[in-house]
């Protein structure tokens, strides 16, 4: 009908902090992330610098019942379902990792690390028709960030509120990673473009990787080489 309807805006009487990404199952169930309970979108980077885990993952069932699946996530971000909906992935931007929740089978309800110690901070996630998992990395997981995240909380808060010119410099690189369903990295792409940075969304189609950004007013793309396509095809199989 074109009518906009609010499906959920709070949990246990408290409004969501920063709803971020959603994955919809075939039965209409909606899995979605609430990145932080401390900051709004314009200050979301503070959550990464302050390194405080208030991110959450929710399930809204078709009948409207809302369930908290996991809390204490470091800026929960991208959410996807596998092609057969046997598991769900959620990116923790602040922790430079991706976690998996098994939904069916003998491991149903079990959480595990899908990818960790990533070279950058993962944002949104997508899955290709062959099951390959794609993510854009919005910034390097470098020594400067890791050092700040280990400081006492009061010091992290001070750094997070510094003017942009005084904060640790973030990468200007274009970074994309791809994984097979076992969590093995099968592509780690890094490139440069003067008009594009901060890859927040990635989608692959017919050997072309398309990228979007929250900080650039354009989209960009790169074509996978023949060797890359063969490697991805072999790993996906």
């Amino acid at each position: 009908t074109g009518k906009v309807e609010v499906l959920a805006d709070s949990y246990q009487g408290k409004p969501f902090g920063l709803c971020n990404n959603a994955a919809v199952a075939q039965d209409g169930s909606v899995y979605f992330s609430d990145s932080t309970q401390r900051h709004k979108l314009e200050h979301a980077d503070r959550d990464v610098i302050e390194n405080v885990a208030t991110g959450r993952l929710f399930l809204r069932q078709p009948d409207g019942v809302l369930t908290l699946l996991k809390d204490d996530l470091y800026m929960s971000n991208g959410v996807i379902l596998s092609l057969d909906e046997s598991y769900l992935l959620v990116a923790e931007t602040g922790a430079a990792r991706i976690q998996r929740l098994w939904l069916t089978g003998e491991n149903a309800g079990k959480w595990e690390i899908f990818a960790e110690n990533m070279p950058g901070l993962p944002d949104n996630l997508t899955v290709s028709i062959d099951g390959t998992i794609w993510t854009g990395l919005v910034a390097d997981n470098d020594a400067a960030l890791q050092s700040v995240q280990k400081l006492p909380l009061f010091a992290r808060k001070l750094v997070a509120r510094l003017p942009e010119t005084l904060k640790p410099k973030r990468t200007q690189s274009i970074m994309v990673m791809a994984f097979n369903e076992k969590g093995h990295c099968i592509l780690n792409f890094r490139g440069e473009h003067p008009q594009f940075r901060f890859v927040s969304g990635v989608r692959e189609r017919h050997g072309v990787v398309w990228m979007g950004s929250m900080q650039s007013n354009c989209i960009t793309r790169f074509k996978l080489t023949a060797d890359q396509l063969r490697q991805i095809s072999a790993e996906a199989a």
Side-chain angles (χ1 to χ4, degrees):
T1 64
K3 180 183 178 181
V4 176
E5 179 183 353
V6 176
L7 298 182
D9 59 6
S10 62
Y11 179 67
Q12 295 183 342
K14 183 179 179 180
F16 296 131
L18 178 58
C19 288
N20 199 319
N21 207 244
V24 183
Q26 292 184 13
D27 68 355
S29 298
V30 181
Y31 298 87
F32 66 96
S33 57
D34 185 25
S35 294
T36 170
Q37 299 176 64
R38 304 171 65 245
H39 300 295
K40 299 302 181 183
L41 181 60
E42 59 269 23
H43 298 305
D45 65 322
R46 292 180 181 177
D47 214 60
V48 175
I49 295 172
E50 293 171 359
N51 200 32
V52 177
T54 66
R56 299 176 293 179
L57 179 72
F58 287 96
L59 162 64
R60 184 195 183 275
Q61 297 173 336
D63 60 5
V65 174
L66 194 64
T67 303
L68 175 63
L69 297 178
K70 193 170 183 61
D71 56 7
D72 296 332
L73 295 169
Y74 289 91
M75 196 173 185
S76 48
N77 202 325
V79 180
I80 58 167
L81 289 162
S82 62
L83 295 180
D84 62 1
E85 299 189 359
S86 63
Y87 65 84
L88 173 146
L89 298 178
V90 57
E92 282 187 278
T93 303
R97 69 185 177 190
I98 301 171
Q99 292 205 52
R100 169 158 45 196
L101 170 63
W102 289 99
L103 301 175
T104 63
E106 61 182 17
N107 291 322
K110 178 182 177 182
W111 281 92
E112 65 183 21
I113 301 298
F114 179 81
E116 62 182 339
N117 299 319
M118 297 172 67
L121 310 183
D123 199 314
N124 291 307
L125 303 171
T126 58
V127 57
S128 295
I129 57 175
D130 63 357
T132 300
I133 310 300
W134 294 85
T135 184
L137 308 178
V138 294
D140 275 313
N141 180 25
D142 54 22
L145 175 62
Q146 293 177 32
S147 296
V148 170
Q149 289 181 331
K150 294 176 182 178
L151 294 172
L153 181 57
F154 79 89
R156 283 178 267 151
K157 287 185 175 181
L158 289 175
V159 174
R161 286 156 179 77
L162 289 173
E164 289 299 321
T165 55
L166 298 179
K167 287 182 180 179
K169 299 301 180 184
R170 310 310 312 156
T171 180
Q172 300 297 307
S173 298
I174 297 170
M175 297 183 291
V176 172
M177 295 184 74
F179 298 86
N180 64 15
E181 293 194 321
K182 295 180 179 179
H184 298 155
C185 177
I186 54 179
L187 179 71
N188 187 355
F189 174 87
R190 183 183 289 262
E192 304 285 341
H193 195 285
Q195 295 176 273
F196 193 87
R197 64 189 183 94
F198 196 92
V199 182
S200 53
V202 179
R203 191 170 294 276
E204 183 271 337
R205 182 71 171 173
H206 300 312
V208 179
V209 180
W210 300 85
M211 297 166 287
S213 171
M214 291 178 61
Q215 296 189 3
S216 301
N217 61 352
C218 58
I219 59 174
T220 189
R221 67 178 184 177
F222 68 89
K223 293 183 179 180
L224 297 169
T225 67
D227 287 343
Q228 289 171 334
L229 284 169
R230 279 194 292 269
Q231 179 181 356
I232 291 173
S233 177
E235 292 284 354

